[in-house]
Structures are given as structure tokens and as C-alpha cells.
Amino acid sequence: MKQRVVSGMRPSGRLHIGHYHGVLENWIRMQDSYDCFFFVADWHSLTTEYADTSGIAESTREMVLDWVAFGLDPAKSVVFRQSLVPHHSELNLILSMITPVSWLERNPTYKEMLDNIDQRDLSTFGFLGYPVLMAADIILYKATRVPVGHDQLPHLEITREIARRFNHLYGSVFPEPEALLTETPKLLGLDGRKMSKSYGNSIYLSDTAEETSKKVMAMMTDPARVRRADPGDPDVCVAFNLHRIYVPQDKLDEIIPACRNASIGCVECKRILAGCMNERLAPCRAKREELAVNPAFVDDLLRDGSQRASMISDSVMTEVRTALKF
Ligand code: TRP
Ligand code: SF4
């Protein structure tokens, strides 16, 4: 029996290459060795976007196009949308009854977000309960493994505590899911800060080759390399963090000494990078364009996946209601 994996992403729109190398690539790799459930966490988006929900549908569509074009395969994995499987909400309600508020209040992610509060008012019941909904997402499918980044570990710990408490109160229904830590170093954006949509420093999976080249050519390099004749250091060069991913090793072995003795200029060096990136991304970008032609593609896919997810969640909810003597 394969281990069951459940993971979700909030609909954030078009994905950048940092999302891809950080999360999506890992999901895609897991598809053959695990029984995978991947979903759009649109109800989770409501916890912070409740005042303006106008972007959620379009962000869902763009994100799922990226998922599938770059290799998530609905024939291998159950790919669905949280809000199309109402059992998430029913289980959330039941789990909310047994979750002490103190567990939620001491959650470091919660405290951090409240402190960094922007214009939005996050002092809501739903935002405090974010980890309860996440626990419901995971144990609703009796997942045994959850691929998450470091930032989500506290949430997963709460999930395990909630599952344990449920089993203790009502009898053993849920396995305690384990984190599959995916520690990929954060990609740097064009300006040397972490690649992030809100910084406007990202290269998107769906950018054209021209857009990609333009961005790469504008990318920061070694700040100490002011003139063409100055020797550089790839270890402190912002662009070079992408070279390591996209440029083949034999080419890197040429570039590194050439940078250090100033026999290659940054313009030429970044042109090589842009070429390698575009070559690698081209087939998936072409596939994305094909998929996007059909306006119903994402809706159909998510409806079908959500039906498949519901078959599992339905039987688990039957067990839950039985355990509760309802
Ligand atoms: N909280 C996750 C994030 O912000 C998204 C998410 C929601 C999730 N439900 C989940 C991830 C269940 C893993 C499993 O990235
Ligand atoms: Fe970076 Fe290449 Fe310029 Fe060296 S030559 S600083 S590796 S872009």
C-alpha cells in the first residue's frame, strides 16, 4: 500500500519559478510513489481575502493551468478544489469543537501574521481557526504524509494534536500524518531579495521567452563587479543562483573561472542563462498555451477531481459520524 499524501496551495494566481522549484516540482515527483491528493485551498484564501474575493476564481484558474502544464497529472493524482468538497467544512466544524483555543493562540504563524498586520483586519474567528481547517483537509483523506515547507510545520503539529485528541475522545479513526519536509533553499528574485509576487521581482512559469530574457538581463549580479574588467564571484552573484538550476554542469565549470578572472562579461553570462531557462521551460509553456485555449478545461478538471475526492471523504465522514454516535 502506498502512503497517502495530501497537500494544498492557496490560489495565488500564476506561479513563479520559486514556487515551482520550492513546491510544485516536489509534488510532481511524488506522484508515482504516493497516493496523492492535491487541492486548491480556496477556503483558506478567504481567511485573509474575505473582504475582496474577486480574484480567487481567476487565481485558481491560472494556478491550476501551471500545475498541469508543468507536470501535475490528473490521471495519477486527485486534483481538486476544496470548496467543491463540503466535507472539509463539516469536519472543520467537528474538529473546532475539540480544539482548545489556546493551541491556536500560541501558533507562531498566527502571532506573526497578526503582528505584521497590513490593511486587513485579521482578528476573525476564521483566521484563528486556519489550522483547524488545515487539519480537516489532511485527516479527511486519512493522509499519512504531508509535504510542507518549514513555515507550515507548526500547523502540521496542530493537525497531529487534533487527530490524537479525536482518536482519544471517540476511538481510533485517523492516522497521525507526518511532515515530509521539503527544504529547498529560497530562490532569489531579480533584485536579490527572496522571489515573491509582492516584491515584483519574479520570473513566472508562464512568462514568454522574451519576458524571461528581459528579466534575466536586468537581474542583479555580483555588486562588486562594477566594470567589465573587474573579476566577479559567482558565490555572491544573484543571477548565479539561477545558473545553478538551469545551466548544465559542464557549462558552469567554464563560467565560474571565467567570471573570477573577468574573461566573461555579465551580459554574455546572463544571455547563456536566459537561453538555458527558455529552452527548459519551453515545452511546458507551450502545453500551458494549448490548455488555456479551452476555457472549461480547469473547471472540468476540478469538478472531476472533486468528485473523486468526495468518494473518499464521504466514507471517512461516515466513520466520523459513527464514532460520534450521530
Ligand atoms: N496552509 C497551506 C499554505 O499556506 C495551504 C494548505 C491548506 C495546506 N490546507 C493544507 C497544505 C493541507 C498542506 C495540507 O501553504
Ligand atoms: Fe554573475 Fe556571470 Fe556576472 Fe559572474 S559573470 S557576476 S556569474 S552574471
Short mmCIF file of all heavy atoms in Angstrom, two decimals, residues 6-10 39 41 44 82 130 133-134 137-138 146-148 151-152 155, ligand 1:
data_model
loop_
_atom_site.label_atom_id
_atom_site.label_comp_id
_atom_site.label_asym_id
_atom_site.label_seq_id
_atom_site.Cartn_x
_atom_site.Cartn_y
_atom_site.Cartn_z
N VAL A 6 -1.50 14.32 1.16
CA VAL A 6 -2.43 15.41 0.88
C VAL A 6 -1.68 16.74 1.01
O VAL A 6 -0.94 16.94 1.97
CB VAL A 6 -3.63 15.42 1.85
CG1 VAL A 6 -4.46 16.70 1.69
CG2 VAL A 6 -4.52 14.21 1.64
N SER A 7 -1.86 17.61 0.02
CA SER A 7 -1.30 18.95 0.17
C SER A 7 -2.12 19.96 -0.61
O SER A 7 -2.75 19.61 -1.62
CB SER A 7 0.16 18.98 -0.29
OG SER A 7 0.80 20.13 0.24
N GLY A 8 -2.12 21.18 -0.13
CA GLY A 8 -2.90 22.22 -0.79
C GLY A 8 -2.08 23.49 -0.99
O GLY A 8 -1.07 23.70 -0.33
N MET A 9 -2.54 24.29 -1.92
CA MET A 9 -1.96 25.63 -2.14
C MET A 9 -3.09 26.62 -2.18
O MET A 9 -4.11 26.36 -2.83
CB MET A 9 -1.26 25.70 -3.50
CG MET A 9 0.22 25.62 -3.52
SD MET A 9 0.82 25.92 -5.21
CE MET A 9 1.80 24.46 -5.46
N ARG A 10 -2.90 27.74 -1.52
CA ARG A 10 -3.89 28.80 -1.68
C ARG A 10 -3.80 29.34 -3.11
O ARG A 10 -2.70 29.43 -3.65
CB ARG A 10 -3.62 29.92 -0.68
CG ARG A 10 -4.20 29.60 0.69
CD ARG A 10 -3.78 30.60 1.71
NE ARG A 10 -2.34 30.49 1.94
CZ ARG A 10 -1.64 31.31 2.72
NH1 ARG A 10 -2.23 32.31 3.32
NH2 ARG A 10 -0.35 31.13 2.90
N PHE A 39 -4.85 19.94 -3.80
CA PHE A 39 -6.05 20.75 -3.95
C PHE A 39 -5.79 22.25 -3.87
O PHE A 39 -4.77 22.71 -3.33
CB PHE A 39 -7.10 20.34 -2.90
CG PHE A 39 -6.72 20.69 -1.50
CD1 PHE A 39 -7.20 21.85 -0.91
CD2 PHE A 39 -5.89 19.86 -0.76
CE1 PHE A 39 -6.86 22.19 0.40
CE2 PHE A 39 -5.55 20.19 0.54
CZ PHE A 39 -6.03 21.34 1.12
N ALA A 41 -6.70 25.46 -2.14
CA ALA A 41 -7.24 25.78 -0.81
C ALA A 41 -7.97 27.11 -0.86
O ALA A 41 -7.54 28.10 -0.28
CB ALA A 41 -6.10 25.79 0.22
N HIS A 44 -9.19 28.54 2.43
CA HIS A 44 -8.11 29.16 3.19
C HIS A 44 -7.83 30.58 2.72
O HIS A 44 -7.48 31.45 3.52
CB HIS A 44 -6.83 28.32 3.11
CG HIS A 44 -6.81 27.20 4.10
ND1 HIS A 44 -7.25 25.93 3.81
CD2 HIS A 44 -6.44 27.17 5.40
CE1 HIS A 44 -7.14 25.18 4.88
NE2 HIS A 44 -6.65 25.90 5.86
N GLN A 82 -10.99 22.59 -2.87
CA GLN A 82 -11.51 22.41 -1.51
C GLN A 82 -12.99 22.74 -1.39
O GLN A 82 -13.78 21.97 -0.84
CB GLN A 82 -10.71 23.34 -0.60
CG GLN A 82 -11.01 23.27 0.87
CD GLN A 82 -10.20 24.34 1.63
OE1 GLN A 82 -9.97 25.44 1.12
NE2 GLN A 82 -9.75 23.99 2.81
N TYR A 130 -7.61 28.88 11.18
CA TYR A 130 -6.91 28.39 9.97
C TYR A 130 -6.33 26.98 10.15
O TYR A 130 -6.56 26.11 9.30
CB TYR A 130 -5.80 29.40 9.64
CG TYR A 130 -5.09 29.21 8.33
CD1 TYR A 130 -5.33 30.03 7.23
CD2 TYR A 130 -4.13 28.20 8.17
CE1 TYR A 130 -4.66 29.87 6.04
CE2 TYR A 130 -3.46 28.02 6.98
CZ TYR A 130 -3.72 28.86 5.91
OH TYR A 130 -3.06 28.68 4.71
N LEU A 133 -9.01 24.13 9.98
CA LEU A 133 -9.42 23.80 8.61
C LEU A 133 -8.33 23.00 7.90
O LEU A 133 -8.61 22.05 7.18
CB LEU A 133 -9.74 25.10 7.84
CG LEU A 133 -10.22 24.93 6.40
CD1 LEU A 133 -11.47 24.06 6.32
CD2 LEU A 133 -10.50 26.30 5.76
N MET A 134 -7.10 23.37 8.15
CA MET A 134 -5.99 22.62 7.53
C MET A 134 -5.95 21.19 8.06
O MET A 134 -5.71 20.24 7.30
CB MET A 134 -4.68 23.37 7.78
CG MET A 134 -3.49 22.71 7.14
SD MET A 134 -2.11 23.89 6.97
CE MET A 134 -0.75 22.72 6.87
N ASP A 137 -8.58 19.29 6.24
CA ASP A 137 -8.13 18.97 4.87
C ASP A 137 -7.32 17.68 4.83
O ASP A 137 -7.43 16.87 3.91
CB ASP A 137 -7.19 20.06 4.33
CG ASP A 137 -7.82 21.42 4.20
OD1 ASP A 137 -9.05 21.50 4.09
OD2 ASP A 137 -7.05 22.42 4.23
N ILE A 138 -6.47 17.56 5.83
CA ILE A 138 -5.48 16.47 5.81
C ILE A 138 -6.08 15.16 6.30
O ILE A 138 -6.00 14.13 5.62
CB ILE A 138 -4.26 16.87 6.68
CG1 ILE A 138 -3.55 18.07 6.05
CG2 ILE A 138 -3.32 15.69 6.87
CD1 ILE A 138 -2.53 18.74 6.96
N VAL A 146 2.45 14.57 4.66
CA VAL A 146 2.07 15.89 4.16
C VAL A 146 3.33 16.67 3.77
O VAL A 146 4.14 17.02 4.63
CB VAL A 146 1.30 16.69 5.23
CG1 VAL A 146 0.84 18.03 4.66
CG2 VAL A 146 0.11 15.91 5.75
N PRO A 147 3.53 16.90 2.47
CA PRO A 147 4.69 17.69 2.07
C PRO A 147 4.45 19.15 2.41
O PRO A 147 3.47 19.75 1.95
CB PRO A 147 4.74 17.49 0.54
CG PRO A 147 3.36 17.11 0.14
CD PRO A 147 2.71 16.47 1.33
N VAL A 148 5.29 19.71 3.23
CA VAL A 148 5.15 21.12 3.61
C VAL A 148 6.53 21.76 3.74
O VAL A 148 7.53 21.08 3.93
CB VAL A 148 4.44 21.29 4.98
CG1 VAL A 148 2.95 21.10 4.86
CG2 VAL A 148 5.04 20.38 6.04
N ASP A 151 7.72 26.69 7.13
CA ASP A 151 6.75 27.63 7.70
C ASP A 151 5.45 26.95 8.13
O ASP A 151 4.72 27.49 8.96
CB ASP A 151 6.45 28.73 6.67
CG ASP A 151 5.86 28.17 5.39
OD1 ASP A 151 6.40 27.16 4.87
OD2 ASP A 151 4.86 28.72 4.90
N GLN A 152 5.16 25.78 7.54
CA GLN A 152 3.89 25.11 7.84
C GLN A 152 4.01 24.05 8.93
O GLN A 152 3.03 23.42 9.30
CB GLN A 152 3.34 24.45 6.57
CG GLN A 152 3.02 25.43 5.44
CD GLN A 152 1.81 26.30 5.77
OE1 GLN A 152 0.78 25.80 6.19
NE2 GLN A 152 1.95 27.60 5.59
N HIS A 155 1.66 24.27 11.92
CA HIS A 155 0.30 23.87 11.55
C HIS A 155 0.17 22.36 11.56
O HIS A 155 -0.83 21.80 12.01
CB HIS A 155 -0.05 24.38 10.16
CG HIS A 155 -0.26 25.87 10.10
ND1 HIS A 155 -0.05 26.61 8.97
CD2 HIS A 155 -0.68 26.73 11.05
CE1 HIS A 155 -0.32 27.88 9.23
NE2 HIS A 155 -0.70 27.98 10.48
N1 TRP B 1 -1.61 26.38 4.72
C1 TRP B 1 -1.01 25.99 3.47
C2 TRP B 1 -0.20 27.17 2.94
O1 TRP B 1 -0.45 28.30 3.28
C3 TRP B 1 -2.05 25.59 2.46
C4 TRP B 1 -2.82 24.41 2.94
C5 TRP B 1 -4.13 24.40 3.30
C6 TRP B 1 -2.32 23.08 3.11
N2 TRP B 1 -4.51 23.13 3.66
C7 TRP B 1 -3.43 22.32 3.56
C8 TRP B 1 -1.08 22.47 2.91
C9 TRP B 1 -3.29 20.95 3.85
C10 TRP B 1 -0.95 21.12 3.21
C11 TRP B 1 -2.05 20.37 3.66
O2 TRP B 1 0.70 26.94 2.15
#
